Amino acid sequence: MTTTLILSNLSPDISSSALEDMFSIVGNVRSATVLQGGFAQVEMATPEEAKNCVLHFDGQRYEGVTLVVRQKQAPRPATVRPVLRHRAVASKALRRAIAAVPKN
């Protein structure tokens, strides 16, 4: 199972092959992709190797900048806002209560 790392604060001159060479010191690199804006993704072969890369490279200086290395987080599932559901129930109960009040 591969684990993806997100790198930020990279020099704009860095290449995918340089990232592969750098991270292969710690483990097996499946792929390395340089993105725009000083970001990159490096895919490691195992979660243990990815964790070791974070411990080894996060906060280290490379080409004059401090690297930020994090494991990519799984997307969070969308959640239902229970407040809206409770508002609807409360307003329905309030309408019933108002309707039940005898009129003089």
Side-chain angles (χ1 to χ4, degrees), residues 10-78:
L10 294 173
S11 167
D13 301 328
I14 197 160
S15 67
S16 296
S17 60
L19 288 174
E20 285 183 28
D21 292 343
M22 184 168 65
F23 280 79
S24 65
I25 296 168
V26 179
N28 295 321
V29 178
R30 298 284 185 210
S31 69
T33 306
V34 175
L35 308 170
Q36 291 181 344
F39 288 90
Q41 288 185 346
V42 175
E43 200 171 271
M44 301 301 293
T46 66
E48 293 80 20
E49 290 174 348
K51 184 178 177 181
N52 288 337
C53 283
V54 171
L55 294 173
H56 185 77
F57 292 112
D58 186 44
Q60 296 297 315
R61 303 236 352 126
Y62 180 75
E63 293 186 357
V65 295
T66 303
L67 297 177
V68 177
V69 182
R70 301 280 187 262
Q71 281 191 13
K72 183 175 181 181
Q73 300 295 318
R76 289 192 241 172

Side-chain angles (χ1 to χ4, degrees), residues 86-101:
H86 293 303
R87 278 189 203 155
V89 170
S91 62
K92 187 175 181 182
L94 182 61
R95 285 193 299 267
R96 283 188 197 153
I98 292 171
V101 173

